[in-house]
Amino acid sequence: MSYRSFLPVTGVGCICAAGDNLSTCMKSFFGKGSHPKPPSRFTGDHPVQYPVFEVPEEISLWGGGRKQEVFRTTQLAMTSAQEAISDAGLSKKELRDRRIGVCIGTTVGSAMNNEAFYREFRKGLRPDMKPILKFLNSNPAQVIADEFGLTGPRQTVVNACSSGTDAIGLGALWIRAGICDAVIAGGADELSRITYNGFISLMITDDSPCKPFDRYRRGLNLGEGAAVLILESDESRRIRNHPAQAVLLGYGASCDAYHLTAPDPEGKGLKRAIAAALKENNITTDRIAFVNVHGTGTHDNDRVESKVLNELLPEIPFFSTKGYTGHTLGAAGAIEAAFTIACLQAGEIPVSAGFNIPDPDLPARPVNERTLVTGDVGISESLGFGGNNAVLVFGKCRL
Amino acid sequence: MPSLRTRIAVNGIGAVGGFGCGVNDLEKSLSDRVCQPGKVEIISGEGVIELPVFNAETQRLESYVPKRALRRVDHFSRIAVLGGYLALEDAGYAETSSGNMGIVVASGYGAAQTTFGFLDTIIEAGDGCASPTFFSNSVHNAAAAQLSIFSRATGPNITISQFEMSVPSALVTACQLLAEKMVDFVLFGGVDEYCSVLGYCRHRLFPNEKPEGMAPLHLNQQSAIVGEGSAFFLLSRPEDSISPYCFITNIIFGNLRCEDVSLPPEAFLILGADGHKCCGRHYAEQIPCGSRVAVYANLYGSLPIGPAFDMAIAALSLKSGEIFGVPRQAGENPKWQVIHHGEKLNREPIYCVKFNENGDFGFIALERE
């Protein structure tokens, strides 16, 4: 199969509540799955506990002696970056000698909002400056670039829930521009008491396991994690004689220009983003195996996605993985890109976790059983606060 | 050095900062060579701290947007939206097809005041009374989102946060969106705001050694004064340009650990030195002797998106054909040819040069033709 333009994905790394690497996550999806629990690393004084998807404490993250110096978000990003780099077979020398950029999406990872520091400041005390220094030392793209001695561009994308998807798409543009040979692209976010309270205040969180697209869905569960793809020019890949896991075939992005937190109910922005992503290689619907949707479990999001998919891609199976991972915010798009690649390779998609009872108001429904898929193209889409829509198209292609 | 060679037209400029609002106010402060900061007080463990700050006023936004529509828009987003409107107006951009415009915003710290405002609601009234309005406005991309809502721009909408490298990094993205023809126009800019926590942190981490004023050219002294504001540009491919100020021709980035800096000897350099001595040493070491240089941070203060203001000043110089003299208090540095009074600009390019403490650098090259 020849494409007009494509970028090999030569390595993938992923860590989330479902597992500490991509293979373990996939086994979980096709097995028992993972389930949200009350947060263990912070507390809230709400009358009910809102469950979250935490990366288990027993999983050892990157950091060693530096763990106290950088945010957990950055540790998650580095952990998945290490897996992806190893998967791509990039040696330390190759990392230093090639032009390699870093493009990472995050939300929590760029926020200066340490509560303990601020409480002391408000009281007119003299707070310890360590939390501020930690914030200044935690820019995930910067840390990854410095840790591996990379010489390419670096960028942290802060586009809320579409950050991870946008980071991958924007990183791809660098390679097309000839700025670098490869990009470490992905997203990372940790669970935080601040965002926990923020989403609860918006009344879009569920106090039980989330149910994307279900008739009785009541909102999302937050999660944490990271995923990284190694995007590489085909020339660089061939020189290294390393196989690709998949190819990136398209990136589309748009903004609803509608509301700060709610998506455009007509989904006009999402339709434009999907069309733009498919247009790059003139992908027709008969080639699309599945869509890995944003599927948060909120009424607005699921309604819009169902409407758009019914109009643009009827009969194409789709699923949400947020019932396995929670909504990992800036990491979500990257984690779902990783899963899209893995599902393309497997030729099947898991049950859309949490979906049991169809909503008669939603014209399209996700799969409710493990499903074999044909087609050589998978779509991963993300919708974010601010009305962002970001879509990636991957091709199943062994190079 | 990694770089993006390009040719992107700068069609309109909107700037909001301590100097005022709009291109005219910026030009006036450049001609006057002075801008006085205001003062804020912070109550802290050391008692009341008085700090100079270059504050940005956004009253003028109400001439573009009804006041009622702004009632839930915070200061951070207002600064950005005002900068955006000013740039569109300056470019004479008609809202004919909003799908043709993307938005790319750079910010070092995001909506800092609202971020802590959200924490205030939790601390004062408990978790259950956290404010959803504050939370939704506190996300880093809130300003870009508000810009898209008000301007009805439905192209890609991207926010980048890379501290002092936010502007050159985000500019690469803006230029690529145009080069790939994902959109025909990009409203690109940088925005950062002051908040009391930021001021306090600056005071604790970088105590001022020059209370008499900011002197960015005295590179081994700490004299930074916090600023806030925005600088926005309407960018396009050359064939779609609307009477452009100039063209962005190169964006160079890297880290001093991996490579040495090389700048064209004929270029005029606007240095992003802003009174932080931890960054100042890099300018001292990397900018060759005899270079023609200027610094303008005295007019807008020290903030991560400072390079966006330098870009605006570079564009004004290229259009007028004249380099503005440095502000009166900028200081002196005998190593370079510091431009103290207006000078003719020939055909040389202008490079906006920024180093951070880590040794990262971002250079933005602009040319008239």
Side-chain angles (χ1 to χ4, degrees):
Chain A
M1 180 69 61
S2 64
Y3 297 112
R4 196 171 62 191
S5 79
F6 66 93
L7 267 184
V9 178
T10 51
V12 185
C14 180
I15 177 169
C16 62
D20 62 351
N21 59 62
L22 182 60
S23 170
T24 308
C25 292
M26 296 307 293
K27 283 191 185 114
S28 173
F29 292 167
F30 290 109
K32 290 182 184 171
S34 54
H35 305 282
K37 297 172 196 159
S40 69
R41 294 201 310 277
F42 54 81
T43 56
D45 62 12
H46 301 278
V48 299
Q49 294 261 42
Y50 291 85
V52 296
F53 285 84
E54 286 182 338
V55 172
E57 276 306 312
E58 56 268 24
I59 289 180
S60 176
L61 301 180
W62 170 90
R66 290 196 60 190
K67 275 189 176 168
Q68 296 306 314
E69 297 173 8
V70 298
F71 286 171
R72 184 175 168 84
T73 295
T74 310
Q75 296 171 42
L76 289 164
M78 272 298 306
T79 304
S80 66
Q82 283 180 320
E83 182 191 350
I85 287 168
S86 172
D87 192 35
L90 282 163
S91 65
K92 281 185 184 163
K93 186 175 186 312
E94 281 172 322
L95 288 170
R96 280 195 310 271
D97 292 349
R98 287 170 185 273
R99 301 174 306 159
I100 300 184
V102 187
C103 195
I104 302 293
T106 190
T107 305
V108 179
S110 276
M112 181 173 74
N113 58 5
N114 185 275
E115 191 175 344
F117 173 91
Y118 187 57
R119 281 181 184 268
E120 291 210 355
F121 171 79
R122 272 175 52 104
K123 287 180 192 165
L125 301 175
R126 189 180 157 86
D128 186 348
M129 294 301 289
K130 280 202 196 87
I132 303 301
L133 294 171
K134 196 168 177 175
F135 159 71
L136 293 172
N137 289 334
S138 289
N139 184 282
Q142 185 76 31
V143 170
I144 291 174
D146 287 347
E147 192 65 22
F148 292 110
L150 305 176
T151 59
R154 54 202 69 179
Q155 185 172 97
T156 298
V157 179
V158 285
N159 256 22
C161 314
S162 69
S163 297
T165 308
D166 284 313
I168 292 168
L170 295 175
L173 296 185
W174 294 350
I175 298 175
R176 279 157 67 120
I179 300 173
C180 43
D181 305 311
V183 179
I184 298 172
D189 255 326
E190 67 192 86
L191 279 165
S192 137
R193 205 178 103 78
I194 310 301
T195 46
Y196 179 78
N197 282 322
F199 277 89
I200 293 169
S201 75
L202 288 168
M203 296 195 289
I204 54 173
T205 44
D206 196 334
D207 59 1
S208 64
C210 63
K211 307 169 192 57
F213 299 95
D214 190 88
R215 182 177 187 175
Y216 298 106
R217 64 191 186 280
R218 291 189 295 156
L220 56 88
N221 304 141
L222 288 173
E224 63 179 3
V228 163
L229 309 186
I230 308 297
L231 305 174
E232 195 168 355
S233 73
D234 199 42
E235 183 186 343
S236 172
R237 183 201 66 77
R238 279 187 276 112
I239 290 170
R240 294 197 309 118
N241 196 25
H242 192 85
Q245 304 274 1
V247 286
L248 177 62
L249 297 174
Y251 165 56
S254 71
C255 187
D256 290 343
Y258 174 76
H259 189 272
L260 207 49
T261 53
D264 166 23
E266 298 303 311
K268 293 193 285 288
L270 180 57
K271 288 180 196 171
R272 277 198 305 276
I274 292 172
L278 294 175
K279 188 180 169 193
E280 218 167 300
N281 277 288
N282 293 324
I283 305 288
T284 49
T285 52
D286 58 298
R287 293 181 52 200
I288 301 172
F290 59 84
V291 182
N292 185 347
V293 298
H294 193 54
T296 56
T298 65
H299 281 281
D300 287 343
N301 178 85
D302 294 359
R303 187 185 315 118
V304 168
E305 283 196 283
S306 177
K307 176 180 165 56
V308 167
L309 289 174
N310 184 58
E311 287 174 18
L312 284 191
L313 303 171
E315 312 305 324
I316 305 288
F318 69 90
F319 65 104
S320 167
T321 54
K322 288 190 170 66
Y324 299 107
T325 64
H327 189 352
T328 54
L329 304 181
I335 289 176
E336 286 150 24
F339 297 157
T340 299
I341 289 170
C343 289
L344 269 177
Q345 291 173 330
E348 65 176 327
I349 56 177
V351 169
S352 191
F355 172 69
N356 290 299
I357 300 171
D359 182 342
D361 291 338
L362 300 188
R365 299 163 186 180
V367 297
N368 59 0
E369 57 187 4
R370 201 164 154 168
T371 303
L372 292 175
V373 291
T374 56
D376 59 343
V377 168
I379 297 175
S380 182
E381 65 186 35
S382 300
L383 288 75
F385 271 13
N388 290 331
N389 305 280
V391 177
L392 296 169
V393 177
F394 291 99
K396 174 181 173 180
C397 190
R398 282 270 167 195
L399 295 173
Chain B
M1 297 185 290
S3 70
L4 174 69
R5 290 203 170 273
T6 187
R7 190 171 162 72
I8 297 295
V10 177
N11 300 290
I13 302 172
V16 184
F19 50 84
C21 179
V23 164
N24 290 343
D25 281 359
L26 180 58
E27 282 182 311
K28 183 170 188 315
S29 73
L30 283 163
S31 298
D32 294 346
R33 297 172 59 212
V34 70
C35 176
Q36 287 300 337
K39 282 202 189 325
V40 294
E41 284 185 353
I42 303 172
I43 299 169
S44 75
E46 291 96 18
V48 175
I49 304 168
E50 194 178 75
L51 285 180
V53 175
F54 288 92
N55 286 115
E57 295 295 329
T58 60
Q59 199 76 15
R60 193 159 149 192
L61 184 55
E62 291 168 22
S63 64
Y64 299 102
V65 181
K67 201 170 176 176
R68 197 164 186 282
L70 295 171
R71 69 191 187 285
R72 287 205 178 102
V73 180
D74 66 3
H75 183 58
F76 176 72
S77 288
R78 286 179 189 228
I79 299 174
V81 173
L82 178 54
Y85 267 113
L86 290 168
L88 292 172
E89 183 181 63
D90 189 49
Y93 178 76
E95 237 181 85
T96 50
S97 180
S98 58
N100 276 339
M101 189 165 84
I103 291 176
V104 177
V105 173
S107 182
Y109 304 126
Q113 283 188 42
T114 304
T115 295
F116 290 108
F118 178 68
L119 280 178
D120 284 331
T121 65
I122 293 174
I123 294 169
E124 288 165 14
D127 294 354
C129 295
S131 163
T133 303
F134 273 85
F135 180 66
S136 52
N137 276 286
S138 71
V139 292
H140 267 64
N141 67 319
Q146 296 285 15
L147 269 166
S148 76
I149 291 168
F150 286 114
S151 67
R152 292 196 285 276
T154 56
N157 187 300
I158 309 288
T159 302
I160 305 298
S161 184
Q162 203 65 33
F163 297 131
E164 292 85 2
M165 294 297 122
S166 298
V167 169
S169 181
L171 186 58
V172 169
T173 295
C175 292
Q176 274 312 101
L177 293 181
L178 289 165
E180 293 275 342
K181 298 190 178 171
M182 291 172 78
V183 281
D184 295 329
F185 293 94
V186 171
L187 185 58
F188 164 78
V191 53
D192 265 311
E193 70 171 341
Y194 168 81
C195 77
S196 57
V197 174
L198 204 68
Y200 176 72
C201 291
R202 286 283 191 115
H203 170 75
R204 284 280 302 272
L205 293 174
F206 308 111
N208 200 327
E209 295 169 357
K210 282 184 79 69
E212 63 271 25
M214 202 166 159
L217 286 172
H218 295 173
L219 298 167
N220 59 356
Q221 282 187 304
Q222 183 66 30
S223 67
I225 294 176
V226 180
E228 64 174 9
S230 73
F232 274 81
F233 309 84
L234 184 66
L235 305 180
S236 73
R237 293 181 295 276
E239 60 269 26
D240 297 318
S241 61
I242 320 164
S243 184
Y245 279 84
C246 61
F247 297 89
I248 297 162
T249 54
N250 203 352
I251 308 164
I252 303 166
F253 35 83
N255 184 283
L256 294 174
R257 282 198 303 274
C258 307
E259 54 222 317
D260 295 322
V261 157
S262 169
L263 288 159
E266 73 278 12
F268 166 60
L269 308 178
I270 296 181
L271 305 184
D274 59 357
H276 276 295
K277 67 179 179 187
C278 55
C279 311
R281 63 190 175 93
H282 296 310
Y283 296 95
E285 290 164 10
Q286 299 296 327
I287 305 300
C289 290
S291 299
R292 287 169 81 213
V293 307
V295 291
Y296 299 108
N298 293 74
L299 303 181
Y300 54 78
S302 168
L303 66 170
I305 59 107
F309 289 112
D310 290 340
M311 263 183 71
I313 295 168
L316 290 172
S317 289
L318 285 162
K319 188 155 190 177
S320 67
E322 182 159 328
I323 301 170
F324 298 97
V326 301
R328 292 175 214 281
Q329 286 187 307
E332 183 55 83
N333 194 308
K335 186 180 173 189
W336 304 315
Q337 290 182 58
V338 177
I339 310 299
H340 286 287
H341 303 283
E343 266 187 35
K344 193 167 161 23
L345 188 66
N346 296 312
R347 300 176 70 82
E348 64 270 42
I350 298 181
Y351 275 64
C352 298
V353 172
K354 186 70 177 175
F355 292 97
N356 72 5
E357 181 185 3
N358 198 38
D360 298 314
F361 57 83
F363 307 154
I364 300 168
L366 302 104
E367 297 183 52
R368 180 67 184 122
E369 302 298 330

